[in-house]
Amino acid sequence: DIVMTQSPDSLAVSLGERATFSCKSSQSILYSSNSKNYLAWYQQKPGQPPKLLIYWASTRESGVPDRFSGSGSGTDFTLTISSLQAEDVAVYYCQQYYDTPYTFGQGTKLEIK
Amino acid sequence: QVQLVESGGGVVQPGRSLRLSCVASGFTFSNYAVHWVRQAPGKGLEWVAVISFDANKKYYADSVKGRFTISRDNSKDTVYLQMNSLRTEDTAAYYCARAAEIGDHLYRWFDPWGQGTLVTVSS
């Protein structure tokens, strides 16, 4: 199984500041035939289901604010919120869809400092 | 709009069975694979199972293999999760989620997700 490891477990950032989340996979999730990284990022607020933010590691889902961006390739990935807003408080998960079983990171909890 | 609605959760004793349903609307259900994902209270996300658009492919997490069965009825726009021999560690919110792209694309992100149904396994 591909193990997804996120860091840190929790993060406190001031409003308007940058928040950076890391996600590492135990093996490469870059598919050579199409040069795509099989990685998604989700946001989950309390009492709600996960919401898709980013897919193919860096493609922002329609309707997601442009302060959210994804980067990375192979085994190392980053989600960045460029200017934190109060409504961004949530838990953020990365997920690989390169192979079954599909696996998620343990999540990073984002709070306001 | 595109929507998934789960039902069938509840409180059940260890060793008993439960069947969850996921009803889809707002899109051509028969064109998409569907997943089940669970989340234990206060914990992270765990993928459970997937069924392809035509039901020809089904994959399971090792933790549920042999106990859970995923199926679908495209005439009813519904996916099911039959859960047998339930254990206390199966206690979780169960979400269904659609594969993001049409057709035989199992290896895609999940979008959208339903609101979830809570399963509690307790004596």
Side-chain angles (χ1 to χ4, degrees):
Chain A
D1 298 3
I2 300 175
V3 177
M4 307 300 290
T5 304
Q6 293 184 239
S7 62
D9 289 334
S10 63
L11 184 61
V13 175
S14 301
L15 291 174
E17 296 299 306
R18 179 184 301 263
T20 303
F21 307 82
S22 174
C23 174
K24 297 183 187 295
S25 57
S26 60
Q27 65 186 73
S28 177
I29 53 175
L30 172 63
Y31 192 37
S32 57
S33 67
N34 59 10
S35 300
K36 289 184 180 293
N37 288 282
Y38 281 53
L39 183 106
W41 288 96
Y42 301 88
Q43 175 193 65
Q44 187 178 32
K45 297 181 178 180
Q48 296 184 19
K51 173 190 172 185
L52 176 70
L53 296 176
I54 302 282
Y55 57 93
W56 296 134
S58 61
T59 302
R60 193 182 309 113
E61 168 70 344
S62 176
V64 172
D66 61 7
R67 64 179 180 275
F68 290 90
S69 63
S71 63
S73 185
T75 61
D76 292 291
F77 302 91
T78 300
L79 173 71
T80 301
I81 306 175
S82 59
S83 177
L84 186 67
Q85 306 298 303
E87 61 265 31
D88 300 334
V89 169
V91 179
Y92 292 83
Y93 294 94
C94 62
Q95 179 218 8
Q96 65 81 17
Y97 47 92
Y98 182 89
D99 195 10
T100 57
Y102 307 87
T103 47
F104 295 85
Q106 80 276 17
T108 294
K109 185 175 183 178
L110 176 63
E111 299 172 320
I112 304 295
K113 185 186 291 183
Chain B
Q1 75 278 24
V2 175
Q3 192 172 9
L4 300 169
V5 179
E6 305 92 338
S7 62
V11 180
V12 62
Q13 293 179 325
R16 304 298 289 264
S17 299
L18 207 59
R19 188 179 81 158
L20 306 183
S21 300
C22 168
V23 178
S25 60
F27 64 99
T28 304
F29 175 77
S30 59
N31 286 346
Y32 290 86
V34 177
H35 300 264
W36 285 98
V37 178
R38 68 184 180 183
Q39 186 170 37
K43 302 297 185 183
L45 300 168
E46 179 189 17
W47 173 78
V48 173
V50 63
I51 186 166
S52 63
F53 72 103
D54 57 3
N56 282 341
K57 298 175 186 174
K58 303 174 186 179
Y59 298 105
Y60 299 91
D62 284 347
S63 57
V64 306
K65 201 172 295 182
R67 300 188 299 123
F68 289 12
T69 301
I70 191 169
S71 61
R72 67 190 296 158
D73 184 341
N74 285 344
S75 69
K76 296 182 178 179
D77 293 347
T78 302
V79 168
Y80 304 98
L81 186 68
Q82 178 66 44
M83 305 186 295
N84 298 332
S85 302
L86 281 162
R87 305 168 179 168
T88 55
E89 55 264 36
D90 295 320
T91 294
Y94 284 74
Y95 298 98
C96 61
R98 194 191 70 177
E101 291 188 341
I102 198 169
D104 196 20
H105 290 297
L106 289 183
Y107 301 101
R108 294 295 185 267
W109 55 99
F110 303 175
D111 182 59
W113 297 58
Q115 288 294 316
T117 187
L118 183 61
V119 173
T120 302
V121 184
S122 173
S123 55

